[in-house]
Amino acid sequence: MKKYDILAIGELNVDLLLNRIAGFPEIGKEIFAKDMTLTLGSSTAIFAANAATLGARVSFIGMIGKDSFGDVVKSTLAQRHVDTSNLIEVDHAATGLTAILNYDNDRANVTYPGAMSLMGLMDIRPEIIREAKHVHVSSVFLQENLHRDLLDIVRMVKDCGATLSMDVQFDPAETWEFDYARILPLVDVFMPNEQELMAITRKSSVEDAVAAIRPYAGVTVVKMGTRGSLLVTPEGQHALPAMLNKSVVDAIGAGDSFDAGFVAAYVMGKPLEECQRIGNLTGAVNTTAAGGTGAFSSKAAVQEAAQKHFGQTLDL
Ligand SMILES: Nc1ncnc2c1ncn2[C@@H]1O[C@H](COP(=O)(O)OP(=O)(O)OP(=O)(O)O)[C@@H](O)[C@H]1O
Ligand SMILES: [Mg+2]
């Protein structure tokens, strides 16, 4: 019996949201924002929090500074029932922060990566991996050293006997360097969205991109927004339309909530097509409340939203 169902390895930062801003900022001037929130940011944190809400025992390996933003990260994860005993707190770097300036439906973001860019192979202890049934690695391009060491990290995870899922997420540098021929044979469930998959394979259609990774990949699930998802296994493909939400609040974190539902079902041994249904469902539930974790206050709340908005059951 392993101590954790899921060990998330990824980035951690706080989001500083500035809302209702009086105009655009200008060099040499100062303007007011009428509203401000400081919250836990980072897509891997949304994944971990929501997987824990769905009932998985989740721990997190991520790097933060020994500072007050680090305390916000830690306490928020703990409130969401994510184990924080494996977080790496360092003196030599500050916790990452994204400043988000919101203008109606548009936003301007500035990220200071700080500690999250420093975590690499040497920081990840195999004895912690050995305590996990499953490892989920995410946001590989956002974390400089993790990106550099990625192949060795996935090798270590497999040597420790855990199953592995991976969501690459966006590459801010847009160079999309990802050695899929060597990495994917070690990944049990690969979870990119369609743009990410086309970018890493340098293909212009999902079909060509799937064909490019097929010789190397185990199971792949491609996220396609309002068009749902595509499950690709060595046996075949299964497209599942999205469970359409007529009154979307926002789609922030839908992909992370998809991952949380899919992986929570996967570690419980559900068949792959049921994992996909649950992923589509938790992605859709995500859009019924604000932000990535708003709809995930409790498992009962997720089950209720699944039934009320989409007529679907969620038994995990
Ligand atoms: N508006 C929506 N209504 C219903 N379901 C949705 C909606 N948007 C997304 N989903 C579901 O959530 C899943 C994941 O969303 P999406 O494809 O946007 O992932 P992503 O691009 O990785 O997102 P993120 O920006 O969060 O990383 C989709 O496959 C779909 O099933
Ligand atoms: Mg995504």
Side-chain angles (χ1 to χ4, degrees):
M1 184 70 176
K2 303 273 187 179
K3 191 168 169 189
Y4 311 117
D5 296 315
I6 301 169
L7 180 65
I9 301 182
E11 87 289 17
L12 287 169
N13 67 278
V14 292
D15 279 351
L16 175 66
L17 294 123
L18 296 168
N19 301 319
R20 300 201 289 140
I21 308 169
F24 290 95
E26 283 178 62
I27 304 291
K29 295 193 176 178
E30 183 160 344
I31 49 175
F32 286 121
K34 292 209 169 107
D35 188 36
M36 183 276 281
T37 324
L38 183 75
T39 61
L40 173 63
S42 90
S43 96
T44 313
I46 295 172
F47 163 83
N50 293 351
T53 295
L54 295 172
R57 297 166 304 153
V58 183
S59 186
F60 204 115
I61 299 185
M63 194 176 272
I64 51 176
K66 282 186 186 154
D67 47 33
S68 45
F69 291 154
D71 293 341
V72 171
V73 166
K74 230 171 34 172
S75 61
T76 314
L77 283 174
Q79 275 163 24
R80 295 282 178 166
H81 307 290
V82 175
D83 170 69
T84 58
S85 63
N86 297 312
L87 296 185
I88 305 159
E89 294 173 70
V90 294
D91 287 312
H92 56 275
T95 302
L97 175 139
T98 298
I100 301 166
L101 278 66
N102 275 320
Y103 291 94
D104 298 322
N105 285 330
D106 251 322
R107 33 171 52 199
N109 293 3
V110 181
T111 291
Y112 170 70
M116 73 165 110
S117 64
L118 301 181
M119 183 174 76
L121 177 70
M122 290 309 167
D123 302 297
I124 301 172
R125 288 171 28 222
E127 54 272 31
I128 300 169
I129 311 274
R130 276 189 220 106
E131 293 182 318
K133 211 164 145 180
H134 182 90
V135 171
H136 180 76
V137 178
S138 184
S139 306
V140 304
F141 301 111
L142 268 187
Q143 305 167 84
E144 197 181 333
N145 289 354
L146 179 128
H147 183 227
R148 181 197 63 201
D149 297 344
L150 190 60
L151 183 58
D152 290 323
I153 292 170
V154 299
R155 281 183 179 138
M156 179 171 78
V157 169
K158 295 316 290 179
D159 287 346
C160 292
T163 50
L164 174 64
S165 51
M166 185 182 289
D167 184 343
V168 290
Q169 301 286 17
F170 193 73
D171 180 4
E174 295 193 63
T175 49
W176 301 98
E177 273 169 44
F178 185 80
D179 188 355
Y180 60 86
R182 288 159 85 190
I183 294 170
L184 291 187
L186 301 164
V187 174
D188 297 282
V189 184
F190 186 47
M191 322 185 81
N193 71 20
E194 50 191 340
Q195 286 80 23
E196 293 152 3
L197 181 62
M198 290 189 286
I200 59 164
T201 53
R202 329 258 171 216
K203 301 290 182 199
S204 52
S205 72
V206 174
E207 204 184 359
D208 288 349
V210 165
I213 63 163
R214 207 153 188 176
Y216 313 103
V219 170
T220 301
V221 61
V222 188
K223 289 169 281 178
M224 305 189 304
T226 50
R227 285 179 296 109
S229 62
L230 177 70
L231 178 70
V232 185
T233 68
E235 288 76 44
Q237 301 193 4
H238 184 247
L240 186 65
M243 294 156 191
L244 278 184
N245 178 8
K246 287 174 216 88
S247 47
V248 172
V249 176
D250 67 55
I252 297 168
D256 309 312
S257 296
F258 177 99
D259 294 354
F262 190 109
V263 174
Y266 183 81
V267 296
M268 288 171 200
K270 303 268 186 197
L272 288 169
E273 287 190 11
E274 174 66 355
C275 298
Q276 182 186 20
R277 184 190 71 88
I278 291 175
N280 273 23
L281 181 57
T282 49
V285 166
N286 179 106
T287 67
T288 64
T293 58
F296 290 76
S297 55
S298 67
K299 187 163 153 184
V302 180
Q303 285 167 325
E304 204 180 303
Q307 193 54 249
K308 180 177 153 206
H309 295 277
F310 310 106
Q312 296 275 326
T313 54
L314 178 79
D315 31 70
L316 277 178

